[in-house]
Amino acid sequence: MNIAFVLSIAGMYSCKQPHAFNDTITLNNNDKIPYGTYAAFKLLQKEFPHAIIQTNRYAPGLWKNLTSDSIKQVLLIVTKTFDPSEEDLDYLTGFVQKGNYVFISALQITRAASKFFNIRTQHHYNYYGLALGVHHAFNPFDSTVINLDPASFKTPLSYQYPGADFTNEFSQTDSSFSFSLGYSSKNNQNLIAVNSIKGTFFLHTAPIAFTNFFLLYENNRQYFEKLMSLLPSDAKKVVWDEYYLYHYDDNNPQQKQGLLSVILKYENFKWAFWITLLLLSLYLVTEVKRKQRIIPVYEKPKNDSLEFVTTIGKLYYEKGDHKNLAEKLTQYFLDHVRNHFKLSTAEINSSFVQQLAARSGKDVTEINAITESMHTINLSDTITQKQLLDYYGLLENFYKTT
């Protein structure tokens, strides 16, 4: 299994030569890519002896070997850039909430993912180890230093690797639903856990720790073992993800060559392609002008469902059945939370308040006011008109500001 990670720049600086693990790994010529992850992949079976170890190259939602209705599954994503779509993030969240685990180790985390997890990273590196936007010379005597949190792990807690510092750091995290597990040499966070309902996300900004040369250097294998100890030892399935590695690998020109690239590569095909495209465009333009008919004007469809809801609400209000109307408002609010913020509403407790506040951006006191009113209405046989109007005001303010 050859996974090119940063690029083969091992000859640019001196370091200890890699050696074979005594009991597990011996690298052959095809797997000695310095920043490949062959050794880490092979060690997974030892860390999870009862699990099925597989690889994945499909986007979330198109997985062949992971299911969203099972628990204790582990997805390992090791890549230079973690750049998921909104659909990917929603699917990964649903996967974790079922009782599964996703470990993401990436040098760069894009804006959409950072906003989703409410984090910020310190800086970004290019493939040559130079900070983007910062002009300085490559330092062959630099080194990678990674530390683990003493409250969560036993000693030794510090690991290093000589050479360029291919790591990143978190400059901001949300302590309301995440906690730190590791730090950089500057004592900034580089490993955090983001709890979900039943499972956990792990975000890690030093993917060099999964590479062959790092793992084979001194006692760095212990760092890998401690990272894997964060995941359930009785995991049913461990899947090594390669979708984000290859799908967004801008340094691999072969990934960019589609059918059009092949056609334009040859002179004769290129001229034939452009002439065909020109003729097809002329044909479409002339045909459209000859056959185009007047497009009738259609009125914008009315939102009958909104009028229906408003009418029903007025009937309940005029009838004086305030409790029944309040219960309908509660049902709509909980349905909105489930669909919009992907939160379970099975239990309305302090944990629910904290998670909804974090995802909606609202203050905890505002969410508490809503849930307290909800409980009061649920326990009361009847409620007053003022209680109903106050409750409606809280919900309406929540909808308008989220």
Side-chain angles (χ1 to χ4, degrees):
M1 177 179 178
N2 295 328
I3 303 177
F5 174 58
V6 182
L7 49 87
S8 185
I9 59 170
M12 297 176 65
Y13 53 88
S14 61
C15 65
K16 282 191 176 183
Q17 292 297 319
H19 55 80
F21 289 127
N22 293 333
D23 55 346
T24 52
I25 300 295
T26 301
L27 299 181
N28 57 43
N29 290 331
N30 294 327
D31 302 316
K32 288 183 179 179
I33 301 174
Y35 293 100
T37 52
Y38 177 81
F41 179 79
K42 283 297 182 181
L43 283 173
L44 290 178
Q45 193 66 74
K46 184 175 181 62
E47 298 300 319
F48 304 96
H50 305 296
I52 300 172
I53 311 297
Q54 294 178 323
T55 58
N56 168 67
R57 288 197 178 186
Y58 296 93
L62 301 175
W63 289 331
K64 304 294 184 181
N65 45 18
L66 287 169
T67 56
S68 59
D69 57 354
S70 185
I71 63 173
K72 289 191 177 179
Q73 301 172 102
V74 175
L75 178 65
L76 293 171
I77 301 173
V78 181
T79 182
K80 172 184 174 283
T81 302
F82 180 59
D83 188 4
S85 64
E86 291 186 7
E87 292 76 11
D88 291 350
L89 291 170
D90 289 340
Y91 198 90
L92 288 171
T93 300
F95 176 73
V96 170
Q97 288 177 346
K98 291 290 185 179
N100 300 300
Y101 299 80
V102 175
F103 192 106
I104 303 167
S105 183
L107 195 62
Q108 300 177 13
I109 299 177
T110 56
R111 182 175 298 179
S114 297
K115 183 179 179 180
F116 183 82
F117 291 109
N118 198 16
I119 60 171
R120 288 184 183 176
T121 49
Q122 192 76 6
H123 45 242
H124 297 296
Y125 286 96
N126 63 16
Y127 280 112
Y128 297 94
L130 304 179
L132 297 178
V134 179
H135 303 285
H136 59 77
F138 179 79
N139 183 2
F141 302 104
D142 199 357
S143 62
T144 297
V145 178
I146 306 174
N147 302 305
L148 293 171
D149 188 83
S152 304
F153 298 94
K154 297 180 180 179
T155 55
L157 299 172
S158 183
Y159 302 86
Q160 62 180 343
Y161 173 72
D165 184 9
F166 289 111
T167 61
N168 205 341
E169 303 166 343
F170 294 111
S171 58
Q172 174 185 306
T173 60
D174 192 335
S175 59
S176 63
F177 62 90
S178 67
F179 56 92
S180 178
L181 293 169
Y183 302 89
S184 67
S185 58
K186 299 178 182 178
N187 204 34
N188 293 323
Q189 297 177 87
N190 66 3
L191 173 61
I192 62 172
V194 180
N195 285 331
S196 183
I197 297 175
K198 296 180 180 179
T200 304
F201 279 103
F202 295 96
L203 302 179
H204 184 240
T205 60
I208 192 175
F210 289 83
T211 61
N212 295 332
F213 268 23
F214 183 91
L215 289 176
L216 295 169
Y217 183 78
E218 294 184 347
N219 67 336
N220 286 353
R221 175 181 170 180
Q222 295 180 16
Y223 181 79
F224 175 81
E225 293 171 347
K226 290 180 179 181
L227 290 184
M228 294 302 99
S229 70
L230 296 170
L231 305 168
S233 59
D234 59 344
K236 300 176 182 178
K237 185 179 294 184
V238 178
V239 175
W240 183 279
D241 184 86
E242 295 182 358
Y243 170 73
Y244 293 102
L245 182 68
Y246 289 114
H247 186 67
Y248 297 101
D249 189 359
D250 295 329
N251 198 49
N252 187 353
Q254 293 181 354
Q255 297 294 326
K256 302 178 182 179
Q257 290 190 1
L259 179 60
L260 183 60
S261 300
V262 175
I263 291 175
L264 298 180
K265 183 178 180 181
Y266 300 98
E267 192 70 18
N268 293 336
F269 284 156
K270 181 171 68 174
W271 280 107
F273 171 79
W274 289 118
I275 292 173
T276 303
L277 185 62
L278 177 61
L279 292 175
L280 182 60
S281 300
L282 290 173
Y283 172 79
L284 290 175
V285 169
T286 56
E287 281 294 293
V288 167
K289 286 185 177 180
R290 188 166 63 89
K291 294 184 177 181
Q292 185 176 17
R293 294 179 296 177
I294 298 175
I295 301 175
V297 178
Y298 291 96
E299 294 182 3
K300 184 178 180 181
K302 295 182 179 179
N303 191 348
D304 295 329
S305 61
L306 182 60
E307 292 181 3
F308 176 78
V309 171
T310 304
T311 302
I312 295 300
K314 288 180 179 179
L315 289 175
Y316 276 112
Y317 184 80
E318 292 172 359
K319 189 178 179 181
D321 194 358
H322 302 321
K323 177 176 172 60
N324 201 339
L325 180 55
E327 290 174 344
K328 295 294 188 296
L329 293 175
T330 298
Q331 292 175 8
Y332 179 82
F333 171 75
L334 295 178
D335 183 71
H336 177 76
V337 169
R338 287 192 295 270
N339 292 321
H340 191 70
F341 298 103
K342 311 301 180 186
L343 283 178
S344 172
T345 58
E347 293 184 7
I348 309 302
N349 51 26
S350 59
S351 176
F352 170 83
V353 171
Q354 293 289 338
Q355 292 185 57
L356 181 55
R359 298 197 181 186
S360 64
K362 300 292 290 181
D363 192 82
V364 173
T365 55
E366 293 185 42
I367 306 299
N368 264 327
I370 293 175
T371 56
E372 287 174 2
S373 297
M374 193 182 302
H375 289 312
T376 300
I377 292 169
N378 188 44
L379 295 174
S380 302
D381 293 329
T382 59
I383 62 171
T384 64
Q385 180 180 351
K386 184 178 184 306
Q387 286 178 302
L388 175 62
L389 292 175
D390 290 342
Y391 185 45
Y392 173 80
L394 290 172
L395 297 181
E396 191 67 15
N397 181 63
F398 178 85
Y399 296 139
K400 289 181 179 179
T401 57
T402 57

